[in-house]
Amino acid sequence: MLPDSIETLLGGLSAETFLREYWQRKPLLIRQAFPGFETPLSPDELAGLALEDEIESRIVLEHGAHPWELRRGPFTEEDFRTLPERDWTLLVQSVDQFVPEVGELLKAFRFLPSWRLDDIMISYAAPGGSVGPHYDNYDVFLLQGHGRRRWKLGQMCTDGSPMLDNPDLKILSEFTTEQEWVLEPGDMLYVPPGLAHHGVAEDDCMTYSVGFRAPSHQEILVHFTDFLAQFATDQQRYGDAGMQPPADPSALDDAALDRLQAIVRQAAEDRDALAVWFGRFMTEPRYPERVQAQETEPGELESLLQQGYGLIRNPSARLAYRVEEDTLVLFASGEHCVLPASLLPRVRLLCNEDYLDAETLLGWRSEGDAWTLVEQLLSKGDLLIEEEDE
Ligand code: SIN
Ligand code: CO
């Protein structure tokens, strides 16, 4: 089901060319990016997910209580029974975390940093269904999963682009069609941030949106300074020892500003702190309640491995690492630990593989640090013991 090469996924382009010319800049239509794609999830199964409390779902009705009405899940079977024949869309977020076959699709996107990935949202639309002309602030690959959808691409937008007066959804009030295609299962459209797009279901259809995230400058500034502030003591103060008498006691002079700038600059230039904060921030799980500490008895891991159980990476956990000279820092679901650099090959496996078999892991018993790390990740809930039927 996965494309056999990056060139198939990207319509003949290499990852380098795509990243240089298209990523964040221009849209790209790729016919049969996933050749012969068949949706691993039926519309009914998608609707089933939207009944669950812990799954984020929405329904958009073009002609609801008001134009482009947004309803939020969880929904009931009755909600689905009373929907009109056409012009509505069901959207279910983070299906990759709930359905392993959908999570598998992410393997095709390994040419991008995994910490940039947000989730796979899946929509099901009745004929005519659409979420309206809009733009997103993130990169998205729209993979057609089932049925056909007509996509129109429009102008580049900004925060100031005119919008309909809608309480819940940002729908563009102006849309200039620049390009238009009908996508069939397996076709994929890459849409860069800010580009207006409008997809309308030709028949009943499912679209998989592989979305990427990029923190806003506001988030970076707020969260990084919050992180830094934890380490500042109350005694560290603005200091003006040796200052000149002020020309005017009411004036904020340049010397005062220089002293302040030195405080801010010193904090901002702490690259190690920036790296630690960023790794923790980008690995915070979208659903922290799904990465739960688990009680494990001493010796339990070894005994389970000996019974042949492997470990899976919790699909809701996020892992990343950074190497700086001879230090290795592992980030796991919003936390970090400093490890010996010799652990790099093991850390790379833990971050990149969805599953580690018992035999491989038992081989790590003689390496104290690697074994302890696996035990810690298991107790934090970043790794899980495989289920009986997996
Ligand atoms: C959809 O699947 O209907 C909407 C996806 C998008 O526009 O980002
Ligand atoms: Co969109």
Side-chain angles (χ1 to χ4, degrees):
M1 171 121 90
L2 289 171
D4 58 5
S5 67
I6 198 86
E7 284 76 17
T8 303
L9 178 82
L10 297 174
L13 301 180
S14 64
E16 287 77 12
T17 309
F18 171 79
L19 292 175
R20 191 178 59 240
E21 291 176 18
Y22 293 89
W23 179 247
Q24 301 238 302
R25 297 183 210 262
K26 292 198 290 204
L28 179 67
L29 171 72
I30 308 128
R31 293 284 181 200
Q32 292 306 291
F34 286 71
F37 185 79
E38 280 176 34
T39 175
L41 197 72
S42 69
D44 271 352
E45 286 167 326
L46 187 74
L49 293 179
L51 309 180
E52 311 260 349
D53 282 341
E54 73 270 25
I55 299 186
E56 273 180 73
S57 58
R58 293 166 291 164
I59 288 176
V60 176
L61 286 118
E62 186 168 349
H63 314 287
H66 55 80
W68 305 109
E69 182 194 344
L70 173 72
R71 296 184 188 164
R72 289 182 193 280
F75 297 103
T76 62
E77 289 183 12
E78 179 64 12
D79 291 330
F80 284 109
R81 269 197 296 275
T82 49
L83 283 169
E85 286 274 291
R86 47 176 301 128
D87 302 341
W88 59 268
T89 301
L90 163 71
L91 304 146
V92 182
Q93 219 65 55
S94 302
V95 183
D96 53 301
Q97 294 189 26
F98 302 98
V99 181
E101 293 79 4
V102 175
E104 276 288 299
L105 300 175
L106 294 175
K107 290 195 174 140
F109 297 89
R110 289 269 172 91
F111 68 101
L112 290 158
S114 57
W115 45 266
R116 282 278 265 118
L117 182 83
D118 191 2
D119 69 344
I120 299 186
M121 175 186 86
I122 304 183
S123 67
Y124 165 79
S130 157
V131 300
H134 68 281
Y135 73 94
D136 300 304
N137 281 321
Y138 48 79
D139 307 82
V140 65
F141 292 89
L142 299 158
L143 167 65
Q144 193 56 20
H146 171 80
R148 293 171 308 146
R149 186 186 285 277
R150 179 177 297 275
W151 279 107
K152 291 182 182 174
L153 296 182
Q155 70 281 15
M156 267 296 176
C157 301
T158 62
D159 284 342
S161 298
M163 296 287 168
L164 291 186
D165 182 17
N166 184 296
D168 304 308
L169 291 169
K170 283 181 144 185
I171 311 273
L172 290 163
S173 58
E174 288 166 19
F175 189 92
T176 321
T177 305
E178 305 272 352
Q179 281 167 306
E180 182 173 339
W181 302 282
V182 174
L183 270 69
E184 310 248 356
D187 294 345
M188 188 169 78
L189 177 61
Y190 164 71
V191 181
L195 188 71
H197 52 287
H198 186 195
V200 182
E202 293 270 300
D203 22 52
D204 62 355
C205 89
M206 284 172 95
T207 302
Y208 287 55
S209 298
V210 184
F212 286 77
R213 63 209 174 107
S216 66
H217 288 199
Q218 190 182 49
E219 283 174 306
I220 295 169
L221 293 171
V222 167
H223 293 273
F224 180 46
T225 51
D226 256 13
F227 176 77
L228 286 177
Q230 300 174 71
F231 308 111
T233 68
D234 199 38
Q235 224 185 359
Q236 289 175 290
R237 297 266 153 176
Y238 168 87
D240 44 13
M243 72 169 161
Q244 296 284 317
D248 181 319
S250 303
L252 287 176
D253 57 17
D254 281 343
L257 225 58
D258 289 346
R259 290 179 205 110
L260 276 173
Q261 230 174 6
I263 298 171
V264 174
R265 200 172 282 141
Q266 197 191 10
E269 280 173 3
D270 187 342
R271 204 174 154 83
D272 291 337
L274 184 66
V276 168
W277 164 74
F278 191 56
R280 290 170 63 114
F281 183 73
M282 291 310 278
T283 58
E284 272 169 22
R286 186 173 171 130
Y287 303 110
E289 67 283 4
R290 291 183 55 87
V291 188
Q292 285 289 332
Q294 322 178 77
E295 292 252 339
T296 42
E297 302 288 322
E300 191 181 337
L301 172 62
E302 187 167 350
S303 130
L304 284 160
L305 295 175
Q306 269 158 351
Q307 292 168 57
Y309 291 101
L311 296 184
I312 56 170
R313 206 184 49 224
N314 181 339
S316 300
R318 286 179 166 147
L319 299 180
Y321 71 88
R322 177 171 166 78
V323 181
E324 180 110 40
E325 288 168 14
D326 50 6
T327 347
L328 169 61
V329 187
L330 173 66
F331 303 99
S333 302
E335 295 178 16
H336 80 285
C337 63
V338 181
L339 298 167
S342 58
L343 274 191
L344 183 60
R346 302 293 183 241
V347 163
R348 290 183 62 176
L349 276 183
L350 289 164
C351 290
N352 290 324
E353 297 300 322
D354 299 338
Y355 174 76
L356 289 170
D357 63 53
E359 199 187 332
T360 304
L361 290 166
L362 283 169
W364 297 11
R365 267 175 314 181
S366 53
E367 307 164 28
D369 290 330
W371 185 253
T372 312
L373 178 61
V374 173
E375 284 184 320
Q376 280 170 349
L377 293 174
L378 184 65
S379 69
K380 258 169 45 57
D382 295 298
L383 294 177
L384 304 171
I385 292 153
E386 75 176 308
E387 307 267 330
E388 199 90 48
D389 57 352
E390 273 176 288

